[in-house]
Amino acid sequence: MRITKILNNNVIEAKDEGLSQVIIIGRGIGHDRKRGDNISQDEVEEMFIMTNKSLFPTVKNLLTTVSTDLIETSNKVVNYGQKRLGHKINQNIIITLTDHLNYAIRRARDGFSTPNPLNRDIKKFYPIEYEIGEYACKVVKKYQFTDLSEDEAGFVAMHFVDASIGGKEHHNVAKITKIVELTLNIVDAHLPNPDIDSLSYSRFIRHIQYLAIRLLDNVDAETEIDNDIKDLVFKKYPIELKIAKNIKTELYKEFNLSIGNSELMYITMHLVRLLKVGSDNNET
């Protein structure tokens, strides 16, 4: 890679082998360097490929105004989150998370905190991401010497939820969370003491999350199903089907989102497993 501009001692602009414009972060990577010099991959700590040219000034400004220590703190959180989630996430999270932590830390040092009305729901619906958020608060305390409020764990968690959803950044995570909340409230009304630690519960939440994403993105959530199987499921599980239809009605009423018969069947099958887990727990 060849340097096109030195932004500061720790951040440079460069062009990679494919001539894409990139921003590279590395402690001391810009020291005693000039335009046209080559950079080896071993010197790179973080690299951002600027596919969206309109974001370039914002990213450049952020990386040249915050401290390298804060970028490294964010990087620790991102690396931890990547391991905990076990799948690839949008690399731009290092930018959005650094920007968020920079603001949160400045606010906390001034004696302010931002309340998070969704914090309880985030903790319930996204337990792994929330745990990453809690880890972030510990890392900030250790390396930035700043105590962040519990609400910040939820804000950080949402960055990881957003970075995990199809690699996109435009999703309304708050609305997705509200859709999940509405759905679970309906289920909880029929199953007062669900086993929230069960695999069935976790799978159901994840299914509703991705259903919400598809519906909000106007992606057809319907798939081809065998009508005989569908009719058999609906006939065999009338109680679960009634709950599924209630969910369908409320999703349309509250969010103007429509689901068809295939999705109705999938929700019904999830409810079959959920209610079975619930009845098994009540017997013990």
Side-chain angles (χ1 to χ4, degrees):
M1 291 175 285
R2 193 176 299 276
I3 296 175
T4 57
K5 190 173 184 179
I6 307 290
L7 300 180
N8 61 33
N9 274 349
N10 306 301
V11 185
I12 63 171
E13 291 180 32
K15 286 193 174 180
D16 63 13
E17 289 76 4
L19 298 181
S20 294
Q21 193 75 15
V22 298
I23 290 180
I24 296 173
I25 298 173
R27 187 171 286 275
I29 197 169
H31 178 66
D32 203 23
R33 287 291 198 10
K34 62 182 184 298
R35 182 176 180 178
D37 286 352
N38 287 320
I39 295 293
S40 68
Q41 192 65 43
D42 294 339
E43 299 176 83
V44 176
E45 293 178 13
E46 289 291 336
M47 181 170 72
F48 304 98
I49 301 174
M50 294 292 100
T51 53
N52 188 339
K53 303 299 182 184
S54 65
L55 292 178
F56 195 90
T58 302
V59 173
K60 185 165 63 174
N61 180 63
L62 173 67
L63 295 179
T64 53
T65 54
V66 302
S67 69
T68 304
D69 286 341
L70 180 55
I71 296 172
E72 291 178 352
T73 297
S74 295
N75 203 32
K76 290 179 190 297
V77 177
V78 171
N79 288 338
Y80 176 81
Q82 183 95 50
K83 290 177 183 176
R84 286 291 288 116
L85 291 169
H87 58 72
K88 287 187 177 181
I89 57 179
N90 190 322
Q91 68 163 4
N92 287 339
I93 188 175
I94 189 68
I95 302 296
T96 59
L97 183 61
T98 299
D99 188 38
H100 175 79
L101 291 180
N102 184 46
Y103 173 76
I105 289 169
R106 282 193 285 109
R107 292 267 298 172
R109 287 174 179 171
D110 289 338
F112 299 102
S113 63
T114 304
N116 186 350
L118 293 175
N119 206 51
R120 186 184 66 178
D121 293 333
I122 294 166
K123 187 175 184 178
K124 179 180 179 181
F125 303 149
Y126 306 100
I128 295 177
E129 290 87 348
Y130 192 85
E131 189 257 310
I132 296 168
E134 292 178 316
Y135 173 83
C137 292
K138 293 176 184 176
V139 169
V140 166
K141 183 174 183 178
K142 181 176 180 179
Y143 294 100
Q144 300 297 317
F145 313 107
T146 305
D147 286 307
L148 298 180
S149 70
E150 183 181 351
D151 286 336
E152 282 300 328
F155 286 128
V156 172
M158 286 295 90
H159 281 279
F160 282 89
V161 172
D162 204 32
S164 298
I165 298 174
K168 298 180 180 179
E169 296 179 0
H170 64 272
H171 292 103
N172 188 332
V173 178
K175 183 172 281 190
I176 293 170
T177 303
K178 285 297 184 184
I179 290 170
V180 174
E181 180 185 30
L182 178 146
T183 303
L184 290 185
N185 283 342
I186 294 171
V187 173
D188 291 350
H190 295 272
L191 185 63
N193 297 302
D195 183 359
I196 62 175
D197 295 322
S198 70
L199 186 59
S200 295
Y201 198 83
S202 176
R203 284 174 174 167
F204 181 63
I205 288 176
R206 189 61 63 180
H207 180 84
I208 297 301
Q209 287 168 353
Y210 282 97
L211 170 63
I213 292 162
R214 296 196 303 274
L215 292 174
L216 292 173
D217 278 353
N218 294 315
V219 175
D220 188 2
E222 285 296 286
T223 58
E224 291 291 331
I225 58 172
D226 188 307
N227 284 328
D228 291 337
I229 295 176
K230 178 201 70 178
D231 292 341
L232 179 63
V233 169
F234 288 171
K235 183 178 180 180
K236 187 174 181 180
Y237 302 108
I239 296 174
E240 291 84 352
L241 174 61
K242 183 178 179 180
I243 301 171
K245 284 183 174 179
N246 192 1
I247 292 170
K248 175 180 178 178
T249 299
E250 291 302 313
L251 287 178
Y252 185 77
K253 185 167 76 173
E254 295 295 325
F255 301 101
N256 197 30
L257 298 175
S258 300
I259 61 174
N261 281 331
S262 69
E263 188 53 49
L264 197 65
M265 187 186 77
Y266 295 136
I267 292 175
T268 300
M269 292 306 299
H270 275 287
L271 291 171
V272 170
R273 288 190 285 270
L274 271 181
L275 267 63
K276 182 179 186 305
V277 170
S279 62
D280 288 345
N281 288 339
N282 291 333
E283 291 173 4
T284 57

